[in-house]
């Protein structure tokens, strides 16, 4: 009668499993499709369909923001990012005048800027990050491999790797609500009415009217990056225009 097979030593079995895992990872890495479709404006890939004829943007009026974080909470309830990760938040900054004098605390809402020239889109090796014709920048989580190239490319620190899905995550302007005729969660919950979103292609929309009325006071973050951001601020101190970064609770601006 033939001898019974001897089970492999656990150490050998562990090594084989480890090598098998490595081979699997290597094989998976070799089949990631790398597409070179950057043929649009400024090297951007062609935009995908969205809400036809619209171009969404948001105005944040810092004169009305009280830092209550209602936007942060409502966004978390609507989109369910992991605990400790946020698609939008309101950061506190301590502004110290260069000429001296007392410091002041400024509340600054932060979110994806849905740029017209988004640097996060062309760096994605699998085209998981894309922009729609209505300007909204989204992430296809079924394609995203979690490489974080887009996270590094974003100059506004508006992206993160979701701890649960291990894919890129960020503000989407709540496009699912916009498509249903609703406001984004952060806009709907803002107690001071500091956030206004709308179609910038419509001259009669609330956002177009607001931008026209406050044209001289409208600012964006990091204009030198030439991303053409579509989140606009009213009452933004000059200290923030080029120097804002990071997501810590309190940061200094103006005197550093």
């Amino acid at each position: 009668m033939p001898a019974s097979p001897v089970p492999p030593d656990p150490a050998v079995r562990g090594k084989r499993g480890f090598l098998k895992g490595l081979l699997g990872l290597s094989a998976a890495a070799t089949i990631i499709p790398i597409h070179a479709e950057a043929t649009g404006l400024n090297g951007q890939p062609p935009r995908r369909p969205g809400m036809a004829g619209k171009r969404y943007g948001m105005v944040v009026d810092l004169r009305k923001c009280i830092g209550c974080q209602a936007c942060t909470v409502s966004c978390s309830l609507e989109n369910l990012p992991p605990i400790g990760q946020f698609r939008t938040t309101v950061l506190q900054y301590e502004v110290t005048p260069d000429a001296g004098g007392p410091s002041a605390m400024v509340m600054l809402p932060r979110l994806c800027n849905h740029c017209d020239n988004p640097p996060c889109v062309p760096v994605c090796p699998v085209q998981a990050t894309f922009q729609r014709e209505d300007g909204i920048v989204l992430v296809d989580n079924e394609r995203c491999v979690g490489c974080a190239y887009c996270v590094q490319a974003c100059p506004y620190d508006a992206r993160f790797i979701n701890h649960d899905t291990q894919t890129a995550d960020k503000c989407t302007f709540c496009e699912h609500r916009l498509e249903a005729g609703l406001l984004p969660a952060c806009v709907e919950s803002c107690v001071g009415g500091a956030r206004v979103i709308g179609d910038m292609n419509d001259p009669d929309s609330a956002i177009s009217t607001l931008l026209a009325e406050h044209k001289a006071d409208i600012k964006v973050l990091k204009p030198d990056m030439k991303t053409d951001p579509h989140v606009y601020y009213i009452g933004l101190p000059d200290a923030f225009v080029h120097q804002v970064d990071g997501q810590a609770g309190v940061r200094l601006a103006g005197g550093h």
Side-chain angles (χ1 to χ4, degrees):
M1 187 173 75
S4 300
V6 178
D9 182 77
V12 174
R13 189 165 58 243
K15 290 179 181 178
R16 287 177 178 171
F18 175 72
L19 291 174
K20 184 178 180 180
L22 279 182
L23 290 173
L25 288 174
S26 300
T30 59
I31 60 173
I32 293 177
I34 307 296
H35 299 282
E37 294 187 12
T39 58
L41 183 66
N42 297 324
Q44 293 286 339
R47 297 188 183 185
R48 301 184 192 178
M51 284 178 271
K54 297 182 181 293
R55 202 320 173 187
Y56 283 100
M58 182 181 289
V59 170
V60 180
D61 192 339
L62 299 183
R63 302 170 303 174
K64 297 180 179 180
C65 178
I66 60 175
C68 67
Q69 300 290 353
C71 54
T72 305
V73 174
S74 62
C75 174
S76 294
L77 291 173
E78 178 72 26
N79 298 294
L80 300 177
I83 293 176
Q85 294 187 300
F86 306 97
R87 291 185 172 188
T88 187
T89 188
V90 181
L91 303 185
Q92 297 181 38
Y93 289 85
E94 181 181 0
V95 180
T96 303
D98 292 327
S103 300
M105 296 300 295
V106 174
M107 307 299 176
L108 183 63
R110 300 284 298 278
L111 67 157
C112 172
N113 281 249
H114 296 275
C115 311
D116 242 12
N117 186 29
C120 56
V121 173
V123 300
C124 180
V126 295
Q127 295 183 359
T129 288
F130 63 95
Q131 187 169 36
R132 305 196 318 187
E133 293 172 348
D134 52 21
I136 298 176
V137 178
L138 299 174
V139 179
D140 183 345
N141 294 110
E142 294 184 357
R143 294 183 65 91
C144 179
V145 296
C147 67
Y149 288 171
C150 61
V151 176
Q152 297 298 321
C154 176
Y156 305 105
D157 197 20
R159 287 172 167 259
F160 57 91
I161 297 298
N162 186 300
H163 290 162
D164 292 340
T165 65
Q166 292 300 305
T167 58
D169 204 336
K170 66 172 205 70
C171 159
T172 64
F173 270 174
C174 279
E175 94 290 350
H176 60 289
R177 292 177 61 90
L178 289 174
E179 290 172 350
L182 303 172
L183 293 173
C186 64
V187 176
E188 188 175 77
S189 65
C190 182
V191 297
R195 296 189 183 213
V196 175
I197 194 169
D199 178 15
M200 298 178 61
N201 288 342
D202 178 3
D204 298 322
S205 66
I207 189 172
S208 295
T209 301
L210 200 58
L211 289 172
E213 290 178 352
H214 298 274
K215 185 176 181 180
D217 194 37
I218 293 292
K219 294 185 178 71
V220 296
L221 297 177
K222 299 188 177 182
D224 54 311
M225 300 299 294
K226 301 187 185 306
T227 63
D228 193 6
H230 274 55
V231 171
Y232 306 91
Y233 292 90
I234 298 174
L236 181 69
D238 291 335
F240 291 96
V241 172
H242 299 286
Q243 299 183 31
V244 166
D245 58 8
Q247 292 198 21
V250 177
R251 288 182 172 270
L252 301 178
H256 67 287

